[in-house]
């Protein structure tokens, strides 16, 4: 009996050490009152995004929940208004997998909202589910869509400077290795999904780095934020169905709750005095060094140019920061009757080659759910 009690005590002590040193997230401080400020949070209908939006609403901000599902988005907005006591929490539709949806969101936002003080890119996916697209869906949702949204909203961010862009990334970026010859190739199978997810998180870090360079001196700063190991449905997505019930209790013990995962993104959005650290990567509410691949400025510039093409932006669209961006072309948007036939586009590489029309409206309807950041 004594040995059992000793063993139990050692296990409990080990768990306490692990919890307080690796699991428990530091609390975010920063600006106390956000009254008069507007914040957009993507993927805010659940998990990390919802907890982020809740804290912003409690501090008095006008919070726009940018979510794919109208039903879940409006339900989340109602919950947050009730819990925070702040009636300025609204839902706006945004599907990051569709460039047309990103454009429609930006147009609606710019026509209805006079301010944008913080843009938080929280939404992301870790797998394609049953979806089969002719492009890299993980890169589209996790990087290309946020890139385009940032580009379209930059004029408003500049006019409201000092303002911030926060990109929720992951420690998984350390496993990323961008192959520019097959950047937009379709992803098939769980092994490719794991690789594509890590690549998209590396793209997030490089995007923050290059965006900081592009925006230097404008008053708009940007940060990549790692939420830490968070207990969410996406953590269990790649596991066999029979194993999930076994690991759920373990995940509850050793992973952060979504509220804890929201602390570093909130720190990047609210902490005063971190402007000189624009473009850096944050974890546990402090700057953390990134992998060598994530410090490659040439790769960041190359990714910027490649992403502009994938987002349908002309090469010189960001040359004049004061000009309103033109509407990008969207491979998902059906062409109008009066429009010319869509051009054929070819994506090729060592293991990826296909040719297809930019008009992909006849593809099978997607069944993905854009949710919060998966665990690393």
């Amino acid at each position: 009996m004594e040995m059992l009690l000793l063993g139990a005590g050692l296990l409990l002590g080990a768990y306490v050490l692990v919890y307080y040193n690796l699991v428990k997230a530091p609390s975010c401080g920063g600006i106390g009152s956000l009254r008069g400020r507007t914040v957009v949070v993507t993927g805010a209908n659940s998990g990390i995004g919802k907890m982020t939006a809740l804290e912003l609403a409690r501090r008095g901000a006008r919070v726009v929940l940018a979510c794919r599902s109208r039903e879940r988005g409006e339900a989340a907005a109602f919950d947050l208004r009730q819990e925070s006591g702040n009636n300025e929490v609204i839902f706006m539709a945004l599907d990051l997998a569709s460039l047309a949806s990103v454009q429609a969101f930006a147009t609606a936002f710019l026509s209805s909202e006079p301010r944008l003080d913080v843009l938080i890119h929280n939404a992301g996916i870790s797998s394609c589910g049953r979806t089969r697209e002719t492009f890299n869906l993980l890169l589209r949702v996790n990087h290309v869509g946020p890139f385009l949204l940032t580009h379209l909203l930059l004029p408003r961010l500049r006019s409201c400077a000092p303002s911030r862009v926060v990109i929720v990334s992951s420690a998984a970026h350390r496993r990323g290795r961008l192959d520019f010859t097959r950047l937009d190739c379709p992803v098939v199978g769980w092994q490719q999904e794991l690789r594509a997810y890590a690549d998209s998180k590396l793209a997030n870090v490089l995007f923050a780095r290059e965006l900081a360079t592009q925006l230097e001196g404008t008053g708009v700063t940007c940060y990549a934020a790692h939420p830490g190991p968070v207990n969410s449905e996406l953590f269990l997505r790649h596991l066999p169905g029979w194993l999930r019930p076994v690991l759920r209790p373990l995940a509850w013990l050793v992973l952060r709750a979504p509220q804890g995962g929201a602390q570093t993104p909130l720190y990047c959005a609210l902490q005063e005095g971190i402007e000189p650290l624009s473009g850096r990567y944050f974890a546990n509410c402090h700057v953390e060094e990134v992998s060598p691949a994530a410090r490659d400025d040439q790769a960041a510039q190359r990714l910027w140019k490649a992403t502009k093409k994938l987002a349908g932006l002309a090469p010189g669209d960001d040359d004049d920061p004061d000009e309103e961006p033109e509407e990008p072309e969207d491979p998902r948007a059906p062409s109008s009757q009066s429009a010319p036939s869509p051009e054929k586009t070819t994506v090729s590489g060592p293991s990826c080659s296909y040719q297809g029309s930019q008009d992909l409206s006849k593809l099978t309807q997607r069944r993905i759910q854009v949710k919060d950041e998966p665990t690393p």
Side-chain angles (χ1 to χ4, degrees), residues 95-155:
D95 180 358
L96 288 167
S98 165
L99 301 184
S101 176
V102 175
Q103 172 66 37
F105 174 90
T107 300
F109 180 88
L110 293 173
S111 64
S112 62
E113 300 293 332
R115 295 194 61 85
L116 177 57
D117 299 275
V118 184
L119 171 60
I120 301 179
H121 292 297
N122 165 81
I125 59 173
S126 63
S127 72
C128 301
R130 302 172 185 173
T131 305
R132 292 296 176 264
E133 301 287 8
T134 56
F135 53 84
N136 185 335
L137 185 61
L138 277 89
L139 190 76
R140 170 71 69 87
V141 173
N142 295 352
H143 171 63
V144 178
F147 179 98
L148 176 60
L149 182 61
T150 303
H151 177 86
L152 296 173
L153 297 182
L154 268 180

Side-chain angles (χ1 to χ4, degrees), residues 151-152 154-155 158 316-326:
H151 177 86
L152 296 173
L154 268 180
R158 289 191 184 96
D317 272 359
D318 56 2
D319 290 344
D320 186 348
D322 296 323
E323 288 186 2
E324 290 284 345
E326 295 180 2

